[in-house]
Amino acid sequence: MFIFDIDEYKSRQQADELLMQYWHLKHVVTSTSSLRSPSYSHTPKPFSSDNTTEKRAIKTLEARQTLEYIDVTLSKLTVINSELLKLQYLSASKLTVSCICDELGITASVFRKHKKQALLEFAESYPSDDLLIFKE
């Protein structure tokens, strides 16, 4: 039998860092300035080896896929963990811990316990291997 020794602290950190980027990713996907139509001019442009339009398109697609992964992962979590993470990271208004506790009907100590559990559960359920860190 295989026993994988997960580094829970580092895995929770990875999940936290990803979820902290949620609104930035959302902005990249919804930003109308991320992709522009080409403009034409008769003046010659200097040759450039990097294609910024292509890079923006790739960045937008990667952001969209990451947002989809986040949504799918949250749907797999237990109800309390999913709600806690949504309120903590995905809420448009930055809610305080006390507001989240009031919303969920829990104490701050229970919040901290569930948040640790929720972040680890998120890292384990995330479709990509980027979040789960194993001990060496």
Side-chain angles (χ1 to χ4, degrees):
M1 173 178 243
F2 293 103
I3 298 177
F4 297 107
D5 209 6
I6 297 170
D7 188 330
E8 293 182 7
Y9 177 77
K10 287 182 181 177
S11 296
R12 283 193 301 268
Q13 275 186 319
Q14 290 291 103
D16 178 69
E17 288 174 15
L18 175 66
L19 289 167
M20 292 283 284
Q21 295 177 17
Y22 178 82
W23 285 103
H24 171 71
L25 294 168
K26 195 89 158 159
H27 177 71
V28 168
V29 169
T30 60
S31 175
T32 55
S33 63
S34 64
L35 293 176
R36 295 184 196 127
S37 299
S39 59
Y40 299 99
S41 171
H42 294 294
T43 57
K45 287 187 176 183
F47 178 74
S48 175
S49 62
D50 59 325
N51 186 340
T52 56
T53 304
E54 184 178 314
K55 286 181 182 179
R56 281 190 204 133
I58 291 169
K59 184 177 178 181
T60 301
L61 290 172
E62 288 173 347
R64 183 174 290 128
Q65 182 179 32
T66 302
L67 288 173
E68 287 175 18
Y69 281 177
I70 289 171
D71 289 340
V72 166
T73 303
L74 287 171
S75 72
K76 293 178 180 180
L77 305 183
T78 59
V79 174
I80 184 79
N81 290 346
S82 178
E83 286 303 310
L84 185 145
L85 293 179
K86 286 177 185 177
L87 290 169
Q88 177 80 54
Y89 298 99
L90 280 55
S91 176
S93 57
K94 299 295 180 194
L95 300 175
T96 63
V97 171
S98 62
C99 288
I100 295 170
C101 290
D102 289 344
E103 182 76 26
L104 296 174
I106 59 176
T107 64
S109 61
V110 172
F111 169 83
R112 286 189 296 277
K113 178 184 159 208
H114 274 290
K115 183 177 177 185
K116 288 173 91 173
Q117 180 186 358
L119 287 171
L120 185 58
E121 189 178 349
F122 184 88
E124 290 173 338
S125 300
Y126 194 74
S128 172
D129 293 335
D130 299 337
L131 301 185
L132 210 51
I133 308 297
F134 296 95
K135 293 180 182 175
E136 295 179 18

